[in-house]
């Protein structure tokens, strides 16, 4: 079968198309003929050697993919031939609280990933794709979609009518915007681009702020919320945005710490602003299969169609990685089938 390999720490330039032998199936394993795979910032971190994978390790990249079940081991019960399935981010985190053994493996970071024509995996790693979505759309769910779901409704615990500040217009953020809109939340979203902010408004953003033109954007968030601040921030900026995000949060509110996309200013967070504001900084890592199934139900009920900035042919995978590195509006997907 055709696949790509990437050398951890050797940059996107190390991506190579290769021919690999098809794997044998174990009793609880399923062969998925992949149709689409999606890129996450994690995959760029692996390429750049910033993800804790030993430099020089060769991986079949990407965690996220969707396709069709073509073969099953003798004991498989969760799926059947012909099912359209999504590959989960944490194959061992099925339900409940996060725990070390549940996050001990992830596709494309050791176990072979989804930038290949086929994936052989334990049946537990799979969920049935939402009815009505294309494979490309379904491929965006497992990492970015589940992260946004967990951040808003599980870790973040938001209720309808609450307010959320979303930073930037990347994969997690646009998923969060779509979920917020569908759930009746008030969403304020930032971007470096007015054109992207116009697209965010078209998706239902309540208010938008250009963080380049308004570098003190936390003041604008406070102004928009009558001085109160938002209930929750989805923090994807990291060191470069954390202090402002905390300031933009209401008394007793939560900052869900998701990522580090902003250039780091290195400014330390003063404990006093959390204590005096009774604010919670909550780290998180994607989510469980149960969260993915809850999200899939929500997608089917609300009719959300995930935003794909661009889909690339398999042969153009390196160009897809470069697009993602520049910063896409929503997701970058690769057509694998
Ligand atoms: N903890 C978890 O569970 C988890 C899961 C998924 C992702 N992550 C992390 O979350 C982050 C986002 O992931 P992603 O896949 O959504 O990334 P992405 O698609 O690559 O996000 C790119 C966008 O980030 C925005 N950005 C960059 N600097 C910014 C700043 N100073 N302020 C606001 N926005 C800024 C830009 O938006 P504009 O172009 O609109 O300016 C850019 O287009 C990454 O650090 C990733 O590693 C964590």
């Amino acid at each position: 079968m055709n696949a790509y390999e990437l050398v951890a720490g050797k940059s996107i330039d190390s991506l190579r198309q290769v021919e690999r032998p098809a794997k044998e199936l174990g009793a609880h394993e399923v062969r998925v003929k992949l149709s689409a795979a999606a890129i996450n910032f994690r995959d760029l971190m692996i390429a750049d050697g910033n993800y804790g994978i030993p430099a020089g390790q060769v991986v079949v990249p990407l965690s996220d993919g969707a396709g069709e079940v073509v073969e099953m081991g003798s004991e498989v019960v969760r799926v059947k031939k012909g099912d359209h399935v999504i590959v989960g981010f944490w194959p061992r985190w099925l339900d409940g609280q996060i725990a070390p053994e549940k996050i001990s493996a992830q596709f494309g970071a050791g176990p072979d990933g989804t930038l290949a024509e086929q994936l052989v995996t334990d049946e537990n790693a799979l969920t049935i794709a939402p009815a009505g979505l294309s494979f490309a759309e379904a491929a965006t769910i497992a990492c970015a979609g589940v992260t946004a779901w967990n951040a808003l409704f599980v870790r973040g615990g938001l209720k309808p009518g609450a307010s959320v500040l979303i930073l930037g217009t990347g994969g997690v953020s646009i998923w969060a915007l779509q979920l917020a809109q569908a759930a009746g939340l008030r969403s304020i979203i930032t971007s470096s681009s007015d054109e992207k902010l116009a697209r965010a408004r078209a998706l239902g953003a309540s208010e938008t702020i250009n963080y380049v033109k308004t570098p003190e954007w936390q003041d604008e968030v406070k102004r928009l919320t009558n001085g109160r601040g938002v209930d929750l921030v989805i923090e994807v900026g990291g060191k470069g945005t954390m202090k402002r995000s905390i300031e933009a949060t209401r008394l007793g509110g939560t900052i869900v710490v998701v990522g580090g996309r902003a250039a780091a200013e290195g400014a330390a967070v003063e404990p006093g602003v959390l204590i005096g504001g009774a604010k919670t900084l909550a780290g998180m890592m994607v989510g469980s299969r149960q969260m993915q199934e809850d999200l899939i139900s929500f997608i089917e009920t609300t009719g959300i169609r995930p935003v794909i900035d661009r889909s690339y042919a398999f042969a153009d995978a390196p160009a897809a990685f470069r697009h993602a590195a520049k910063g896409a509006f929503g997701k970058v997907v690769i057509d694998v089938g």
Side-chain angles (χ1 to χ4, degrees):
M1 65 152 180
N2 283 319
Y4 272 88
E5 288 180 350
L6 174 92
V7 187
K10 295 285 182 191
S11 90
I12 297 171
D13 296 341
S14 68
L15 266 176
R16 292 279 176 278
Q17 240 192 94
V18 294
E19 184 69 31
R20 289 190 145 214
K23 285 188 180 164
E24 294 286 309
L25 281 192
H28 293 278
E29 287 185 326
V30 176
R31 190 182 312 280
V32 180
K33 181 181 173 297
L34 291 161
S35 282
I39 302 176
N40 291 288
F41 190 61
R42 176 206 83 137
D43 305 302
L44 305 171
M45 294 170 77
I46 291 172
D48 291 339
N50 299 323
Y51 202 70
I53 295 182
Q57 185 174 328
V58 175
V59 298
V60 174
L62 306 188
S63 56
D64 289 9
E68 185 178 328
V69 172
V70 290
E71 195 183 350
M72 291 129 55
S74 56
E75 301 293 322
V76 167
V77 290
R78 277 182 55 78
V79 295
K80 59 182 188 316
K81 206 169 163 187
D83 279 348
H84 291 190
V85 291
I86 302 174
V87 180
F89 186 87
W90 299 117
R92 296 177 187 149
W93 186 6
L94 307 184
D95 201 355
Q97 293 287 325
I98 196 165
E101 68 281 6
K102 296 179 181 178
I103 55 166
S104 55
Q106 53 179 280
F107 295 107
D112 290 348
T114 55
L115 195 50
E117 286 174 332
Q118 291 182 2
L119 183 82
V120 169
T121 175
D122 189 282
E123 60 174 328
N124 275 320
L126 301 173
T127 54
I128 301 292
L133 290 200
S134 67
F135 283 120
E137 290 169 329
T140 71
I141 290 173
C143 180
V146 173
T147 298
W149 176 268
N150 187 0
L152 288 169
F153 305 121
V154 185
R155 204 78 169 104
L158 284 189
K159 297 190 174 71
S163 56
V164 58
L165 171 65
I166 299 167
L167 303 189
T169 59
V172 172
S173 299
I174 292 301
W175 255 113
L177 175 63
Q178 291 186 281
L179 295 176
Q181 207 273 342
L185 303 175
R186 176 183 181 185
S187 57
I188 304 174
I189 189 163
T190 72
S191 176
S192 56
S193 151
D194 286 340
E195 184 258 326
K196 289 181 177 179
L197 290 176
R199 290 168 78 184
R201 279 193 296 278
L203 285 171
S206 315
E207 281 109 354
T208 58
I209 305 170
N210 184 315
Y211 63 80
V212 175
K213 291 181 180 166
T214 310
E216 303 298 326
W217 43 266
Q218 74 284 4
D219 295 340
E220 181 62 5
V221 174
K222 295 288 274 295
R223 191 188 68 77
L224 290 169
T225 53
N226 296 324
R228 178 176 178 269
V230 288
D231 295 305
L232 184 93
V233 181
I234 303 211
E235 223 316 326
V236 299
K239 279 186 182 170
T241 49
M242 185 69 74
K243 281 180 85 170
R244 290 193 170 86
S245 289
I246 293 170
E247 224 176 302
T249 305
R250 72 160 166 83
L251 184 68
T254 300
I255 304 95
V256 180
V257 185
V258 176
R261 271 313 244 122
E265 288 166 359
V269 172
E270 290 296 331
V273 299
L274 294 173
I275 299 165
K279 298 177 187 183
T280 303
L281 272 187
M284 55 154 285
M285 288 197 285
V286 195
S288 65
R289 189 181 76 192
Q290 182 61 57
M291 292 180 209
Q292 183 162 305
E293 287 173 341
D294 292 345
L295 169 57
I296 286 167
S297 297
F298 188 76
I299 291 167
E300 288 182 334
T301 307
T302 55
I304 287 177
R305 306 295 298 253
V307 176
I308 295 172
D309 201 6
R310 187 164 163 194
S311 243
Y312 286 82
F314 193 66
D316 296 329
F321 274 70
R322 281 192 288 276
H323 181 163
K326 256 187 11 206
F329 184 89
K331 298 297 298 178
V332 176
V333 172
I334 298 168
D335 191 354
V336 178

